[in-house]
Amino acid sequence: HVQLVESGGGSVQAGESLRLSCGASVITVDDYCMGWFRQAPGKARERVATIDRARRTTYADSVKGRFTISQDNAKNSLYLQMNSLKPEDTAMYYCAADCLYCDDPRDACFGYWGQGTQVTVS
């Protein structure tokens, strides 16, 4: 069955960096729009970044210039490089796949979701 497994989360100080990874099985990351989402306690889920089959990327305004989404087809993995982290970046981060078009605004466009990795910035 399809699996998305995130890793790389942790607790860091403001200004530091983290790199999240998402390994995919069964599906191929290059075949879909892939995305990173986050959800903080008591807040709505936020679409953080997406990357499509043409490697076009989108970012939430809150992370532009600080976060970079990328993928490695050989490893069938998705990444999120997070620099200059802020306390407001604290959240559970989720990898998502299976959306046909990244410009589809519906979160339901993504058919597969990982279990999440916690990022805490103090």
Side-chain angles (χ1 to χ4, degrees), residues 35-75:
W36 285 99
F37 291 74
R38 67 185 181 185
Q39 188 165 22
K43 294 188 177 181
R45 183 167 57 196
E46 179 183 23
R47 184 179 297 198
V48 176
T50 64
I51 184 168
D52 70 9
R53 295 167 65 180
R55 298 288 197 276
R56 291 171 297 202
T57 59
T58 66
Y59 296 93
D61 287 343
S62 57
V63 306
K64 279 181 183 176
R66 299 188 298 121
F67 290 11
T68 302
I69 187 171
S70 63
Q71 64 186 61
D72 184 331
N73 293 341
K75 296 182 178 180

Side-chain angles (χ1 to χ4, degrees), residues 3 22 29 85 103 108:
Q3 275 194 310
C22 172
V29 297
L85 283 161
D103 58 3

Side-chain angles (χ1 to χ4, degrees), residues 2 4 6 22 27 29 31-38 45-53 56 58 69 71 78 94-114:
V2 174
L4 299 174
E6 302 97 335
C22 172
I27 63 170
V29 297
D31 287 346
Y32 303 96
C33 169
M34 301 286 297
W36 285 99
F37 291 74
R38 67 185 181 185
R45 183 167 57 196
E46 179 183 23
R47 184 179 297 198
V48 176
T50 64
I51 184 168
D52 70 9
R53 295 167 65 180
R56 291 171 297 202
T58 66
I69 187 171
Q71 64 186 61
L78 182 73
Y94 299 91
C95 168
D98 192 35
C99 182
L100 195 56
Y101 299 110
C102 281
D103 58 3
D104 189 325
R106 302 168 300 152
D107 287 0
C109 176
F110 292 85
Y112 301 111
W113 295 78

